[in-house]
Amino acid sequence: MEVYKLELDILSGGQNPQFEIGPYEFMGLFHTIEALDESATDGFFDGLGFRGFVLSKGERLRCTVQKTIIKIEEGPETRYKRGDDGLIRELFELVRKYDPDRRYGHLIAMAAKEYRS
């Protein structure tokens, strides 16, 4: 059985908050990503601080969603799409949904402020 995860990629050197999400939520988000325009690789941020969201389907598919760019890693293939504000808002709402006890509320608030979502 595939495991679908949403990760808030924010902690450097620590375990990022991860949430198991439903397959329909994952597929809806992935279809949204696939419909976005292709992008060049420049602008992808891999430094310290909030790096975005990571959507994964087992070990085979990983999408790193940042404000202006999305990196899709599917097997040996890597491609890039343009970021989308609506998708970012949807991901923040999904993180909030799966963190009902607000265990990661301060991290979510910090990331949302940085992305203004």
Side-chain angles (χ1 to χ4, degrees):
M1 187 167 122
E2 293 281 5
V3 176
Y4 303 90
K5 289 186 180 177
L6 172 60
E7 176 182 339
L8 191 63
D9 191 11
I10 195 165
L11 299 175
S12 301
Q15 179 69 34
N16 285 316
Q18 288 185 3
F19 309 94
E20 193 169 317
I21 64 174
Y24 295 110
E25 289 169 318
F26 177 89
M27 292 311 295
L29 293 164
F30 185 67
H31 287 303
T32 298
I33 291 168
E34 285 286 53
L36 297 171
D37 292 334
E38 297 290 325
S39 177
T41 62
D42 57 331
F44 189 78
F45 175 68
D46 197 23
L48 298 176
F50 182 51
R51 291 170 295 280
F53 301 90
V54 178
L55 282 167
S56 60
K57 177 183 177 184
E59 299 294 319
R60 299 178 307 160
L61 177 60
R62 179 180 168 98
C63 302
T64 304
V65 180
Q66 297 182 349
K67 191 170 188 172
T68 61
I69 192 167
I70 300 166
K71 180 180 182 180
I72 304 166
E73 299 167 283
E74 194 167 9
E77 181 184 336
T78 299
R79 42 201 176 93
Y80 295 85
K81 298 280 190 167
R82 290 189 186 189
D84 180 77
D85 289 341
L87 177 62
I88 294 290
R89 281 191 296 278
E90 208 174 330
L91 289 168
F92 272 115
E93 288 305 314
L94 200 54
V95 166
R96 289 179 184 110
K97 172 185 171 182
Y98 282 97
D99 185 31
D101 299 330
R102 299 192 46 82
R103 186 169 161 209
Y104 301 106
H106 65 289
L107 291 174
I108 295 167
M110 184 176 71
K113 182 178 178 184
E114 187 172 321
Y115 271 35
R116 292 178 183 25
S117 288

